[in-house]
């Protein structure tokens, strides 16, 4: 099945139907985080650095980096944030902006093969972002809305996704370099939001054979105990074929749901990752940590090229 | 879609594709519980009573009652346990035994429409249990194995389930009174156990249009943090069409997973049950509990017949 390969300078992550689910950490994003926005504008990236380290430590396989700060020089800030994050972690990044110039500034400094977040089915966006993806050999998140907005009909969203995939092909970008975002709406407002997404995920997997991602935390907007809703959504969506998500690995419920779903899908051979993460600590004095860290799940470290 | 209606003397529970998931409490079962077995043999049902109350309080919509104690008078003990449980709770019961005489003893004293657990595809079992189901107007759990054992091929298990449904029809039992158990194996031993069950659940829903249940806790046998695995399994299985499970509601993770999955499936209108269960307590002094208990999810109380 379709494999989407992303990389940093030294590490490769593959998003695919037969592989462990890929968690893309969502935290490096100033939207709704006033302090972070002020610090990034002022050139202080200490919180970005802390967020990067914490998310990788918590289980993120990739990190999304967004610098969307009103009136700030977003291309410069995004490029700086990407360089910083790449200097302290080796996970591949998702370069996230609604401004095409910022995406290009990020791509220009990025080491490896990035995931660009995002293109939509809007004509202007398609024709400005897809050439960049081709130029830099990146992969791209394709959001299934267009000039007419976001349809509540999953079949309409499927057609938008299909149109993006076809247009990308016209630009010489293979379907394996497209990761479709089916668009997750808050279930507190739209009770059939998850049912719609599950149907769409199934069609995207079986018909378009394309990998998928989403902003998973949207589903629980406005509800109490959001992590419980996020966990239910991620588990069910993985069962429906979703292969990655932009979400918050600092919530243990989210990471546990993903690891559990990997076990269910048969993507954790012998439940080795689950057992390593959750086994009881050995009695004091026993050398029980010997096996820790032996395996990296489905995420393989790429051999560093000879300098 | 197919509705399986169960009842006690005063309450009805409906298992169905368009309804909230039904949790059948598994605790009243002496298998592996030595103290409970000894007490039940000696006529002490205090623990049965406590288990019944605790499970209903924790969120069970039905209770499974099993009295499988080696060398004991199982029919008499099962009948007594059922009478006791029916005297202290109003949820419908699942009468659980591998001994046909015990099933009949339970059915003879049961008030309402019981779920009988279980029949298999084995010829002798079919022809001894199905006449009882017809005689007492009960519903029955149909386990998808037969004389050849439990196939690892979900399509073979589907054929066994289909055969039971057809044989039941020959006995005058409608498909709505069959609840198929696809058989859940420990995923620590069989890594594709869940994938097999998901495929089978999908076929049972779309082709045979039959309700389903399973002993959900089996999935996590031998693994650490079993509740996390159980939660992942229940969530994904509900997404694949499972409509009930025999499981342990005393684990909050299990109940939370089921409530979250109901939200995902669009079976919790306006997320009302979720919000009621998990909302933050109101500030001291506020009359915030006024709305509590107004709704009973999809499980409706049947009007008590005029005496």
């Amino acid at each position: 099945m379709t494999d989407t390969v992303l990389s940093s300078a030294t590490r490769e992550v593959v998003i695919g139907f037969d592989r462990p689910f890929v968690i893309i950490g969502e935290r490096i994003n100033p939207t709704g985080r006033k302090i972070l926005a002020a610090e990034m504008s002022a050139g202080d990236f200490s919180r970005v650095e802390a967020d990067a380290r914490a998310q990788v430590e918590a289980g993120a396989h990739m990190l999304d980096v967004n610098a969307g700060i009103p009136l700030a020089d977003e291309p410069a800030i995004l490029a700086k944030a990407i360089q910083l994050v790449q200097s302290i972690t080796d996970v591949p990044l998702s370069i996230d902006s609604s401004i095409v110039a910022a995406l290009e500034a990020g791509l220009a400094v990025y080491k490896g093969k990035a995931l660009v977040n995002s293109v939509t089915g809007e004509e202007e966006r398609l024709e400005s972002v897809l050439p960049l993806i081709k130029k830099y050999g990146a992969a791209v998140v394709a959001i299934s809305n267009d000039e007419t907005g976001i349809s509540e009909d999953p079949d309409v969203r499927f057609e938008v996704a299909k149109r993006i995939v076809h247009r990308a092909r016209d630009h010489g970008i293979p379907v394996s370099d497209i990761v479709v975002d089916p668009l997750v709406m808050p279930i507190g407002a739209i009770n059939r939001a998850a049912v719609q997404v599950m149907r769409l995920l199934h069609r995207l997997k079986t018909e378009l054979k394309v990998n998928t991602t989403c902003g998973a935390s949207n589903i629980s907007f406005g509800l109490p105990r959001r992590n419980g809703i996020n966990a239910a959504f991620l588990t069910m969506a993985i069962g429906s074929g979703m292969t990655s998500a932009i979400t918050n690995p600092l919530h243990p419920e989210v990471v546990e749901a993903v690891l559990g779903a990997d076990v269910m899908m048969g993507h954790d051979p012998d439940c080795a990752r689950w057992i390593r993460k959750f086994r009881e600590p050995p009695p004091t004095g026993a050398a029980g940590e010997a096996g820790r860290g032996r395996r990296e799940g489905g995420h393989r470290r790429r051999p560093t090229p000879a300098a």
Side-chain angles (χ1 to χ4, degrees), chain A:
Chain A
M1 297 280 272
T2 315
D3 274 351
T4 302
V5 180
L6 291 318
S7 65
S8 64
T10 56
R11 183 188 281 240
E12 209 172 79
V13 164
V14 184
I15 302 174
F17 296 108
D18 301 322
R19 299 175 179 277
F21 191 77
V22 171
I23 297 173
I24 305 169
E26 72 180 8
R27 290 292 292 159
I28 304 176
N29 190 330
T31 314
R33 297 182 71 189
K34 279 188 186 170
I35 298 169
L36 178 65
E39 286 174 354
M40 287 174 80
S41 290
D44 172 5
F45 290 84
S46 56
R47 200 175 298 265
V48 169
E49 188 174 328
D51 282 343
R53 289 191 202 280
Q55 290 183 98
V56 171
E57 171 67 22
H61 309 109
M62 294 180 57
L63 297 176
D64 187 80
V65 180
N66 179 303
I69 304 161
L71 306 178
D73 182 359
E74 190 174 328
I77 299 175
L78 185 59
K80 218 164 164 183
I82 284 166
Q83 285 177 301
L84 175 84
V85 174
Q86 286 216 297
S87 75
I88 59 163
T89 77
D90 65 354
V91 300
L93 304 185
S94 155
I95 302 174
D96 184 1
S97 179
S98 56
I99 295 173
V100 177
L103 294 178
E104 176 140 37
L107 282 164
V109 299
Y110 188 78
K111 291 178 187 156
K113 180 177 172 186
L115 181 62
V116 169
N117 188 4
S118 57
V119 70
T120 68
E122 295 161 295
E123 193 56 36
E124 195 189 324
R125 188 87 181 167
L126 281 168
E127 290 307 320
S128 55
V129 174
L130 292 179
L132 276 185
I133 303 304
K134 179 64 185 170
K135 176 178 172 188
Y136 287 94
V140 67
V141 174
I143 301 189
S144 51
N145 73 308
D146 62 12
E147 285 85 355
T148 65
I150 300 170
S151 173
E152 280 207 31
D153 180 345
D155 296 334
V156 171
R157 287 197 223 163
F158 178 82
E159 291 305 323
V160 175
K162 193 169 160 182
R163 191 146 39 83
I164 301 174
V165 166
H166 288 177
R167 184 69 66 88
R169 197 174 51 196
D170 294 343
H171 283 266
I173 301 163
V175 66
S176 59
D177 281 341
I178 313 283
V179 180
V180 172
D181 180 342
L183 275 169
V184 174
M185 312 300 284
I187 201 158
I190 301 175
N191 268 236
R192 292 187 53 78
V195 174
Q196 290 165 3
V197 167
M198 300 307 156
R199 181 180 159 79
L200 185 45
L201 286 170
H202 182 74
R203 290 197 69 191
L204 290 168
K205 174 179 179 174
T206 56
E207 298 177 43
L208 213 50
K209 297 175 173 46
V210 69
N211 280 308
T212 42
T213 198
C214 72
S217 310
N218 281 357
I219 193 79
S220 61
F221 181 80
L223 291 176
R225 208 174 180 93
R226 291 189 63 169
N227 295 332
I229 292 289
N230 294 344
F233 173 74
L234 283 166
T235 307
M236 209 177 274
I238 292 171
S240 296
M242 192 166 72
T243 48
S244 72
I246 302 167
T247 188
N248 190 344
L250 301 181
H251 296 309
E253 298 91 335
V254 163
V255 174
E256 179 165 345
V258 167
L259 292 176
D262 278 341
V263 170
M264 290 305 121
M265 298 297 283
H267 295 162
D268 182 2
D270 302 325
C271 306
R273 282 199 312 163
W274 181 271
I275 292 168
R276 199 163 62 235
K277 172 101 181 173
F278 294 115
R279 67 178 164 202
E280 297 295 319
T284 314
E289 294 295 293
R292 205 172 269 272
R294 242 182 318 181
R295 292 174 68 161
E296 279 286 319
H299 311 290
R300 55 185 195 273
R301 191 171 284 273
R302 188 165 63 165
T304 310

